[in-house]
Amino acid sequence: MFTIEHEFDATVVTLVDEGETPLKEDVTVNAFDDCVTIEQYDPVHDRVMTITLSFTQVRDLEAALDLPEGVYRLKLIDEDEA
C-alpha cells in the first residue's frame, strides 16, 4: 500500500510494507524541486535515516530496475530529436 500527498514544497509518497512478516518500517519519498529524499526509521539506531538523490540518480535508478546486470550510461535525447 502507498499514499500520495501534495504538500507546499514537495510531493510525499509513503510506502507501507504489507507483506509477510518480518515487515519493514514505512519508507517516505519526498520529491522536491531539486532532489528526492528517501527516509526510513531505523529501530536499531532509533532514528530516521535519510538518503538524498539527484533527479539524474532517480532517472538512472528507474532505468536500472528494468535492465539486466551490467554497467550502463543513459543517453539523453533532445526534444527536437524525439
Side-chain angles (χ1 to χ4, degrees):
M1 178 182 94
F2 61 92
T3 65
I4 301 172
E5 301 173 60
H6 298 292
E7 297 188 0
F8 174 72
D9 62 344
T11 296
V12 180
V13 177
T14 301
L15 309 173
V16 179
D17 190 5
E18 292 187 301
E20 300 293 322
T21 55
L23 298 177
K24 302 297 181 194
E25 297 291 333
D26 294 355
V27 173
T28 304
V29 180
N30 299 287
F32 297 98
D33 286 340
D34 59 345
C35 67
V36 173
T37 62
I38 302 169
E39 300 174 334
Q40 185 177 42
Y41 175 72
D42 180 356
V44 173
H45 296 99
D46 191 31
R47 68 183 187 118
V48 174
M49 307 299 272
T50 302
I51 298 172
T52 302
L53 302 172
S54 70
F55 282 110
T56 300
Q57 290 171 311
V58 172
R59 182 202 69 214
D60 290 350
L61 174 60
E62 178 184 23
L65 293 175
D66 292 326
L67 293 169
E69 184 175 342
V71 178
Y72 300 89
R73 177 176 288 130
L74 294 178
K75 179 181 176 187
L76 297 178
I77 299 174
D78 290 332
E79 289 184 18
D80 296 335
E81 294 179 28

